[in-house]
Amino acid sequence: MRKHCFDIPEGIIYLDGNSLGPPAITTAKRVDQTVNSEWRQLMIKGWNEAGWYRQPRTLGDRIAPLIGAAPGSVVLGDTLSIKIYQALAAALTMRPERRVILSDTGNFPTDLYMAEGLIKTLGQDYELRLVEPDAVIDHLDESVAALLLTQVDYRSGRLHDMAGLTQKAHSHGVVAIWDLAHSAGAIPVDLATCNPEFAAGCTYKYLNAGPGAPAFIYVRPDIADDVEPALSGWMGHAAPFGFEASYKAAPAIERMRVGTPSVLQMAALDAALDVWEGVSINEVRAQSLELSELFIREVESRCPQLALISPRNPEQRGSQVSFAFVQGYAAMQALIARGVIGDFRAPDVMRFGFTPLYIDKADVLRAVEILVDIMTNDLWDVEEFKTQKAVT
Ligand SMILES: *Cc1c(COP(=O)(O)O)cnc(C)c1O
């Protein structure tokens, strides 16, 4: 759909936009401009004159339409782990008499680790209750303070029913927090209709803002002025440059800011978001499903060694497809060596992301041919592909 906006190296089929999107063609130039025309020329004046100070909000307003959020309800900053911590801490203060955080066993570990860390810090008898993804709906009751879920499972691509679960959560007075790491830029999300109190996501996956790009957080506008910020940094203060001795939260979403924003990385995000101008997320979704259905059909009929672990029903999947294979790590390394880039998640999951902004049908068919060759001829079965690297 926007292949011309990306400069993917010759011979590479990039099926890992679910982990780290590629740079847009304009990204390097935009970052260069920020360094040379803004930072170098303006130096400290850049905060006012180049709009750096406002950027976390300006960019929030650019991401908002992609996730069905109202203008002024999204702010950028920090990493997703931090944003999850902030949302969860705020949620717990909204239900002071409750002690359970409900999540599922498919959630991304950092979300669970941050919850554990928060529980330790609070020093009260909070419980992180993990249940199977399908069982979440049955565990929503009056003991639960907050529901903390990732909409799309990072391993299998299974999609939670965000609207249904949020509604059920609210019927029991549970505060809902959704992690949109694998949703934003991949599937249509309608926060305004689903109505959760909090959502957060990252911008280096489907939004292509580059490694270490800032995360975003959404707070529902009707509660935003009452939310208690656990990370009370100066950029979330009502008057950051009043330099008062004591913290006073800024109005609404502004209070979710913590410290100095990463200006260069935000420039990269701004360039990456230009790609979305005139792109319909519904069309992205439709094409992503077409590509993934094609991939599943071909792989299942030609690679009997691989077992589909993503839901077969496309309505129940995000935009990634996962296959299990005992030697999945080696097989993925063999694929990468041939220019087909996906990734691997322990213990045996080979992940393939279908991002129609820069992947088309011909790419999928070519990737399948290479995968078939590797599987049929056991080309993965060599030492060099079996030694696990730090990042898989
Ligand atoms: C990628 C991902 C993260 C990453 O968090 P960072 O703090 O940005 O490293 C968190 N949660 C989920 C669900 C993810 O998929």
Side-chain angles (χ1 to χ4, degrees):
M1 296 170 81
R2 284 290 188 276
K3 227 173 176 164
H4 59 280
C5 296
F6 296 90
D7 188 13
I8 292 171
E10 196 58 40
I12 296 291
I13 300 170
Y14 195 65
L15 304 180
D16 211 6
N18 48 303
S19 249
L20 177 69
I25 284 177
T26 53
T27 302
K29 195 167 154 224
R30 182 71 58 85
V31 173
D32 182 71
Q33 265 173 2
T34 306
V35 173
N36 283 303
S37 310
E38 297 181 2
W39 182 16
R40 182 169 153 264
Q41 306 280 342
L42 300 170
M43 288 189 276
I44 193 75
K45 294 185 290 179
W47 288 109
N48 290 316
E49 293 176 20
W52 298 344
Y53 183 69
R54 301 305 313 152
Q55 209 166 25
R57 289 284 302 280
T58 317
L59 289 169
D61 283 345
R62 292 196 75 189
I63 287 175
L66 290 171
I67 53 174
S73 62
V74 178
V75 75
L76 275 291
D78 317 297
T79 71
L80 182 48
S81 305
I82 299 287
K83 286 336 203 189
I84 289 294
Y85 185 94
Q86 283 183 294
L88 186 57
L92 296 183
T93 64
M94 291 164 67
R95 296 292 179 275
E97 68 295 348
R98 300 186 182 192
R99 284 292 173 273
V100 176
I101 300 162
L102 181 64
S103 189
D104 72 25
T105 52
N107 205 346
F108 191 79
T110 201
D111 297 34
L112 306 178
Y113 302 162
M114 294 310 277
E116 284 179 351
L118 175 61
I119 288 173
K120 234 186 218 174
T121 305
L122 292 173
Q124 297 170 43
D125 49 351
Y126 281 100
E127 177 199 344
L128 174 59
R129 190 173 291 167
L130 298 183
V131 301
E132 290 297 310
D134 288 342
V136 169
I137 190 107
D138 300 322
H139 284 78
L140 285 162
D141 58 37
E142 272 69 18
S143 71
V144 180
L147 173 66
L148 173 64
L149 290 177
T150 298
Q151 192 186 13
V152 180
D153 185 301
Y154 74 104
R155 277 204 201 94
S156 67
R158 177 203 35 75
L159 190 61
H160 266 310
D161 171 11
M162 181 152 92
L165 283 165
T166 304
Q167 194 180 31
K168 177 86 191 289
H170 287 168
S171 74
H172 293 283
V174 177
V175 178
I177 305 164
W178 286 95
D179 185 330
L180 304 178
H182 293 272
S183 310
I187 60 175
V189 174
D190 192 351
L191 288 177
T193 304
C194 291
N195 210 30
E197 284 82 352
F198 301 94
C202 52
T203 60
Y204 51 79
K205 289 171 180 161
Y206 294 97
L207 297 177
N208 311 313
F216 65 84
I217 185 166
Y218 161 87
V219 179
R220 207 174 66 196
D222 64 305
I223 61 165
D225 276 326
D226 302 316
V227 158
E228 222 171 284
L231 301 178
S232 41
W234 73 306
M235 289 279 164
H237 193 282
F241 288 84
F243 296 107
E244 293 158 22
S246 183
Y247 182 78
K248 184 168 161 253
I253 194 68
E254 197 83 22
R255 64 182 56 191
M256 287 299 165
R257 292 178 66 162
V258 182
T260 304
S262 50
V263 171
L264 296 182
Q265 199 83 60
M266 294 215 190
L269 172 58
D270 195 39
L273 289 173
D274 287 347
V275 172
W276 290 91
E277 296 295 332
V279 171
S280 138
I281 187 73
N282 290 319
E283 186 58 25
V284 167
R285 172 65 169 164
Q287 290 198 23
S288 166
L289 288 182
E290 231 173 82
L291 297 176
S292 49
E293 289 286 273
L294 173 66
F295 186 75
I296 291 173
R297 213 161 48 236
E298 291 286 319
V299 172
E300 285 202 309
S301 68
R302 298 171 68 189
C303 301
Q305 305 88 341
L306 304 186
L308 180 71
I309 59 164
S310 297
R312 194 165 293 279
N313 179 353
E315 309 274 294
Q316 292 167 7
R317 279 201 311 267
S319 92
Q320 93 192 36
V321 169
S322 303
F323 281 93
F325 175 53
V326 185
Q327 290 288 345
Y329 182 79
M332 185 52 77
Q333 291 305 304
L335 267 173
I336 293 171
R338 296 275 298 273
V340 178
I341 303 185
D343 63 18
F344 172 79
R345 288 295 175 262
D348 59 359
V349 179
M350 299 171 73
R351 297 196 306 178
F352 302 91
F354 296 95
T355 46
L357 285 183
Y358 48 84
I359 291 294
D360 60 24
K361 224 167 128 176
D363 294 322
V364 172
L365 292 174
R366 210 144 51 87
V368 168
E369 288 309 322
I370 295 170
L371 179 59
V372 168
D373 185 30
I374 287 168
M375 296 313 299
T376 315
N377 300 306
D378 292 339
L379 300 181
W380 52 266
D381 196 6
V382 290
E383 235 15 75
E384 65 163 307
F385 294 143
K386 292 182 183 170
T387 323
Q388 210 149 310
K389 299 182 180 121
V391 174
T392 63

